[in-house]
Amino acid sequence: MPDRMRAAVLYGREDVRLESVPVPDIGPGELLVRVRAALTCGTDVKVFRRGYHAKMIVPPALFGHELAGDVTAVGHGVKGFAVGQRIVAANSAPCGQCYFCRRSQPNLCEDLLFNNGAYAEFIRIPARIVEKNTHILPSHLRYEDAALVEPLACVLRGLDETGICHGDTVGVMGLGPIGLMFVRIAKSAFNARVIAIARRQSQIDQALRLGADEGVRMGEPDQLISDVKARTASRGADVIIEAIGHPEAWELAVHLVRRGGTVNFFGGCAAGTKVGLDTSLLHYSEINCKASFHHTPEHIRRSLDIVASGGVTADHLVNRREPLSRLPYVLNDLLYTRNGHLKTAIIP
Ligand SMILES: [Zn+2]
Ligand SMILES: [Zn+2]
């Protein structure tokens, strides 16, 4: 076992450096994992732009949170894991004891423990995550598929929160990796009629390939509202998922849903931003407004089942592979150009 490794360290705004750092020491209950695939994520791009994330990461810090790899060392007292096993570990675990955990809202845990450091050769998995949110991979499952478990778990929970019913019409605004996963799951798990909504035709085409029934280009707000209404007998969709993360899109979302329907404001907006919502519309049309954050251990388990069965794969969402040394380039590219890139698999 080497005692040093290459790892990406976040120093601040748009400042990520590859450095030689000590391989993490592991304590009781912990695992050391050789990272085999780490996926880029919109959250990482946001953190890269802003230089920190109040809840998840404060620099200087190891960076990256969607990973799968091999167990290379096992701490004292670990049960159920052994050296050589292929695993996926989530990026957090709840305490199980606080007010929110006891009320079955562990995603809101007062002491949610986050783990970062996937953009590295090795990562330490803290004991609580080992115990609650780490799983052995079925032998057929590739590392980059397994690394999708975390974001997909957020999507599964986001759909659960809408109260979606079988056969509902679901509009998905924003067709990045998260929006595309919503399209996929709404179709495969709920046989929904899915309307994919985005600015670029290329994004809509990809959504159609993943199961969307139709696409609507986002242009002027009034045009979008009438385009969606025209496809839903003038009512609006049963469920609207906002997966863009812009205040204007949140404001628009409530106009695309039917009376009594549900909007999930899934896309996190920049801190400090505000929205203006049409109070009469919300009141007289009984619009249900939800916002979802993060995942739970149950959703991580369900997510792994879906990924293992091929319901969502890296073939749908990962369209680039790069070595660890290219991470700063990849993050810059995702921040400034995108070029149709969804997720990049970083292979340390
Ligand atoms: Zn993520
Ligand atoms: Zn808790």
Side-chain angles (χ1 to χ4, degrees), residues 182-249:
F182 271 109
V183 166
R184 188 85 187 154
I185 299 298
K187 178 52 82 180
S188 63
F190 297 95
N191 195 29
R193 174 165 162 251
V194 179
I195 303 174
I197 303 164
R199 289 205 181 275
R200 289 201 300 269
Q201 187 61 41
S202 59
Q203 297 173 298
I204 289 172
D205 291 341
Q206 177 68 353
L208 294 170
R209 283 191 285 275
L210 296 195
D213 296 276
E214 46 203 300
V216 175
R217 294 280 297 271
M218 257 180 113
E220 287 305 306
D222 289 344
Q223 185 63 46
L224 176 61
I225 293 166
S226 66
D227 285 348
V228 170
K229 294 255 162 109
R231 286 166 172 76
T232 51
S234 305
R235 281 192 298 266
D238 300 305
V239 171
I240 289 286
I241 304 290
E242 196 284 344
I244 297 173
H246 280 303
E248 309 86 74

Side-chain angles (χ1 to χ4, degrees), residues 39-44 65-66 91 150-151 343:
L39 304 183
T40 60
C41 159
T43 305
D44 292 342
H65 65 274
E66 298 179 7
N91 60 335
E150 189 271 330
K343 283 169 136 5

Side-chain angles (χ1 to χ4, degrees), residues 71 86 137 149 198 207 225 251 265 273 301 313:
V71 175
R86 304 163 70 249
L137 305 185
V149 161
I225 293 166
E251 289 171 358
F265 300 119
T273 53
R301 276 192 295 274
T313 86

Side-chain angles (χ1 to χ4, degrees), residues 95-98 101 109-110:
C95 76
Q97 283 152 25
C98 72
C101 283
C109 175
E110 287 169 358

